[in-house]
Amino acid sequence: MRETDGQLLEEYKRVDRICQDMFSCQYGITEYINEMERTAPYQQLQISGWDQDYRSLKHIRWLRNQLVHEIHPESSTFADIEWLEDFHQRIVEQQDPLAKLSRFEWERIDEKCSAVPEYFDNTEEEAIFDIGTPYSQDFPVSWNRKRALAASIIPYAKTVIFIVALIACLCLVINFWYEKFTLLFYSAT
């Protein structure tokens, strides 16, 4: 094993540990890659360097697996080690692709919250809670966000209530005419 291979394995362990902590799982880098794969393509396009980071992570994981499991592995380069060190630093500074995506999504939510209707305009209280994303503690969820969600659901709720009322009316009309015709039919025979 070459010197670069040992350095790559050590740096891989560092990045893997920080990813394990982020996702509360056993295989941190693999989970990071899986999370990137689960991200919708339109979201991936919003983050610069997403594809390059994804490909580099997969390459580094492949290299690590080659070094650990193969008899004649492909050797790593200083560029691989430098990229992995840089990626580790970006995770720490929350400049990695998933952190950028999370921040981008929160910015979109904030934009939508600025258009909250007046009947949801009580902004005195602020609530912070975990919504299950690796970076959620950095983005407080305010009452405005909750009100925006409620405001976005209200039109659908009104539509559902209208449809249920319409179906109930139709059932009453059908029942009325059914009884009328059955009575007419049986009285004629």
Side-chain angles (χ1 to χ4, degrees):
M1 187 180 298
R2 297 184 181 143
E3 178 185 340
T4 56
D5 297 341
Q7 289 176 339
L8 180 86
L9 290 174
E10 286 305 312
E11 191 59 37
Y12 185 91
K13 288 178 194 175
R14 284 182 63 209
V15 174
D16 196 50
R17 276 194 298 270
I18 199 168
C19 290
Q20 288 171 1
D21 291 343
M22 271 179 10
F23 295 109
S24 301
C25 67
Q26 185 177 3
Y27 304 106
I29 290 180
T30 298
E31 185 58 31
Y32 196 100
I33 292 170
N34 291 342
E35 198 62 35
M36 289 181 84
E37 289 172 348
R38 283 191 287 267
T39 303
Y42 76 91
Q43 292 174 314
Q44 294 174 11
L45 293 173
Q46 303 298 323
I47 309 302
S48 63
W50 180 282
D51 193 50
Q52 179 61 36
D53 283 338
Y54 172 74
R55 291 175 191 271
S56 296
L57 266 178
K58 289 201 62 133
H59 173 73
I60 295 292
R61 185 181 62 176
W62 177 80
L63 265 178
R64 180 259 178 203
N65 290 341
Q66 290 287 314
L67 292 171
V68 173
H69 301 295
E70 295 291 322
I71 297 170
H72 302 291
E74 186 174 313
S75 184
S76 59
T77 64
F78 282 113
D80 296 328
I81 297 166
E82 287 175 6
W83 183 87
L84 201 51
E85 288 172 348
D86 176 63
F87 188 72
H88 179 268
Q89 189 60 36
R90 286 190 287 145
I91 288 176
V92 170
E93 295 171 355
Q94 293 189 352
Q95 294 300 315
D96 59 289
L98 292 180
K100 287 180 180 179
L101 177 65
S102 182
R103 205 167 18 262
F104 178 76
E105 291 298 314
W106 281 111
E107 288 170 1
R108 287 186 52 215
I109 289 172
D110 283 339
E111 288 172 8
K112 288 181 181 178
C113 289
S114 64
V116 175
E118 287 180 23
Y119 50 87
F120 287 112
D121 200 25
N122 182 8
T123 58
E124 294 174 5
E125 297 185 48
E126 184 88 11
I128 300 174
F129 59 91
D130 184 18
I131 60 169
T133 63
Y135 305 105
S136 60
Q137 66 274 12
D138 299 322
F139 303 102
V141 177
S142 68
W143 289 109
N144 273 346
R145 290 192 184 109
K146 290 179 186 178
R147 287 188 282 278
L149 177 63
S152 67
I153 292 173
I154 287 175
Y156 298 114
K158 288 179 180 177
T159 304
V160 169
I161 291 170
F162 175 75
I163 291 172
V164 168
L166 185 64
I167 290 171
C169 289
L170 284 173
C171 288
L172 287 173
V173 169
I174 290 171
N175 187 36
F176 171 77
W177 286 108
Y178 175 76
E179 288 178 5
K180 191 128 177 130
F181 282 118
T182 53
L183 237 137
L184 196 70
F185 177 73
Y186 285 120
S187 64
T189 56

